[in-house]
Amino acid sequence: MADPLSGARAKFTRVFGAGGRIHVVRAPGRVNLIGEHVDYNEGIVLPMAIEPQVLAVCRVNPDPKVRLASTAFPNELVEIQLDQPVEPARPQWANYGRGMVAKLMDAGIPLCGADILLDHTLPVGGGLSSSAAVLIAMGLSLLTIGGNRMDPARLAMLAHSAEHDFAGVPCGIMDQMVVAAARAGHAMMLDCRSLQRSFVPLDPLELRVVVANTMVHHDLSDGAYSERVASCRRAVEFFRGANPSIRALRDVTPEQVEAARGQLDETTWRRARHVVHEIARTILAAELLGKRRYEEVGELMRQSHDSLARDYQVSRQELDFLVDQARATAGVYGARLTGGGFGGCVVALVQPRAAEPLMERLRESYRAKFQIDPMVFATTAAAGASVLE
């Protein structure tokens, strides 16, 4: 197999030409083991970085502009001028780059002109946080060629702001934080209110994580995601009426949400119920994972997926099919959809010996059912973004 760094550098040269000092930055994708749709409710999440990644190849450009290309969108070269205000524009994919440029400049970081190629092994819209990987890779590239450094948490916050303002996705902070600050061999337990991070070991001799991409593209800017964010806000307003100290669904107890049935409209109540119980499941799952009680973690993953499908209504038949296939496979502790839903991926926590049989089963059964070849891979927990050279 060709060296991915050499391949990325060769692609960069074909687009931008040879010469100059070249740097390569990597930003991983992520899966969320449990804790879905709770980050924008100030909840607790348990993601990990994965081995598939975005490589950003970059060098200084003497002109006051950033020239940006992506292997996911070939034959499109975008220029971002540094001597004038940066605003969202077309093509839409480049708004992640524009947003990161704008947020770094707003933060007072001096930027020099740059040529940047984004080389993807992450599927776009696959639920593995390719958007956060692009944002963090862009930010770290611009910092690196400018001779600047930044705390990963601060970089994550700027990327989070960029995704809100330039991509129009009202996401939480989870994706950007784990992509920027993950620890190899660990899942990150992240408090999305305080941003406090702790790490739970994932022993590769005992566990593998298998990810299966339905190849059904999802676009979190299409309104379905925003509508669920709005539902959660309506629920918060309801609970705040009885208790003004409640500022997010994080502050609502399972008992309170169960008592509210019939007082909220059914859709809003079900979405609130998912979030409140999902936060409780995530806290317990992190504790159990640290104690190596994998069967119990798997049961919590089952509850999580069923809640996402029935209450939050972000699953679909392709996701449900893969989850059912994984659950029926020996050596699988648990499986659930991961990411925003509406398509994308499922994640399974498995015994190492079960990884290959599970991947083969998912490929064959999914192809037979939907006439689509899914992308299926096994991964261990990877480190956060870094400068490779």
Side-chain angles (χ1 to χ4, degrees):
M1 183 178 294
D3 174 20
L5 270 67
S6 297
R9 287 194 297 267
K11 295 171 189 175
F12 176 90
T13 300
R14 286 197 292 271
V15 174
F16 294 111
R21 170 74 187 279
I22 290 178
H23 297 276
V24 181
V25 167
R26 59 166 285 278
R30 70 95 189 92
V31 291
N32 191 23
L33 297 178
I34 194 168
E36 220 65 73
H37 286 280
V38 305
D39 55 345
Y40 52 82
N41 290 288
E42 301 186 13
I44 308 291
V45 293
L46 191 65
M48 59 175 250
I50 58 175
E51 293 161 10
Q53 61 194 3
V54 171
L55 292 178
V57 187
C58 57
R59 72 178 175 208
V60 172
N61 181 324
D63 300 321
K65 63 184 176 183
V66 173
R67 297 194 299 171
L68 177 62
S70 170
T71 58
F73 301 93
N75 305 316
E76 293 187 13
L77 181 64
V78 174
E79 293 191 353
I80 306 167
Q81 299 296 327
L82 300 179
D83 54 0
Q84 55 188 264
V86 180
E87 302 289 345
R90 292 187 178 278
Q92 187 174 1
W93 68 265
N95 282 331
Y96 294 95
R98 295 185 185 102
M100 208 65 232
V101 168
K103 296 303 177 180
L104 286 169
M105 291 196 296
D106 289 347
I109 306 299
L111 299 184
C112 60
D115 294 336
I116 301 176
L117 173 75
L118 301 171
D119 188 23
H120 295 249
T121 59
L122 274 173
V124 174
L128 300 177
S129 202
S130 60
S131 59
V134 165
L135 286 161
I136 298 298
M138 279 289 303
L140 192 52
S141 295
L142 292 165
L143 291 167
T144 298
I145 63 175
N148 298 300
R149 294 186 178 183
M150 182 177 288
D151 176 76
R154 186 186 181 201
L155 180 59
M157 293 298 291
L158 293 179
H160 176 251
S161 179
E163 187 149 4
H164 275 240
D165 294 345
F166 278 74
V169 178
C171 58
I173 189 61
M174 174 183 69
D175 293 356
Q176 295 83 10
M177 191 65 73
V178 71
V179 169
R183 182 181 296 177
H186 294 76
M188 175 191 286
M189 185 178 179
L190 173 65
D191 184 327
C192 296
R193 171 172 288 171
S194 68
L195 301 187
Q196 180 179 350
R197 306 185 298 276
S198 58
F199 293 90
V200 182
L202 297 176
D203 188 341
L205 298 178
E206 296 184 356
L207 290 175
R208 294 282 277 173
V209 172
V210 171
V211 179
N213 185 352
T214 62
M215 311 307 287
V216 176
H217 176 78
H218 73 162
D219 183 352
L220 295 187
S221 65
D222 68 0
Y225 186 98
S226 298
E227 195 277 329
R228 281 154 181 78
V229 175
S231 287
C232 293
R233 289 174 179 161
R234 289 194 296 271
V236 170
E237 289 304 312
F238 168 81
F239 288 110
R240 186 180 291 141
N243 183 351
S245 67
I246 290 174
R247 77 181 208 192
L249 286 177
R250 161 78 173 272
D251 303 313
V252 178
T253 66
E255 293 77 17
Q256 288 172 319
V257 79
E258 294 299 333
R261 188 166 197 174
Q263 301 178 62
L264 283 164
D265 69 86
E266 186 70 7
T267 297
T268 300
W269 178 77
R270 284 183 173 275
R271 289 174 182 171
R273 179 170 69 167
H274 165 74
V275 171
V276 172
H277 285 277
E278 185 80 346
I279 292 170
R281 281 190 288 267
T282 303
I283 294 170
L284 180 56
E287 177 186 345
L288 294 172
L289 196 57
K291 295 178 179 178
R292 292 177 160 82
R293 291 162 62 176
Y294 303 134
E295 290 86 357
E296 292 167 85
V297 175
E299 170 58 21
L300 293 170
M301 294 175 72
R302 182 194 67 77
Q303 294 174 18
S304 173
H305 179 82
D306 291 350
S307 178
L308 287 161
R310 296 169 186 168
D311 281 354
Y312 223 67
Q313 297 177 305
V314 294
S315 192
R316 56 184 294 154
Q317 64 170 336
E318 294 90 348
L319 290 164
D320 293 341
F321 177 83
L322 286 173
V323 167
D324 289 342
Q325 291 294 310
R327 289 175 179 174
T329 303
V332 174
Y333 293 116
R336 57 184 290 280
L337 72 83
T338 186
F342 312 107
C345 295
V346 303
V347 58
L349 194 68
V350 308
Q351 298 171 9
R353 65 178 178 81
E356 285 296 334
L358 173 61
M359 290 191 290
E360 182 177 356
R361 177 173 184 163
L362 295 180
R363 291 187 188 103
E364 292 182 355
S365 64
Y366 193 78
R367 186 184 303 118
K369 175 73 172 178
F370 297 104
Q371 291 75 55
I372 297 172
D373 288 318
M375 184 184 80
V376 184
F377 64 92
T379 183
T380 54
S386 61
V387 180
L388 299 179
E389 59 183 41

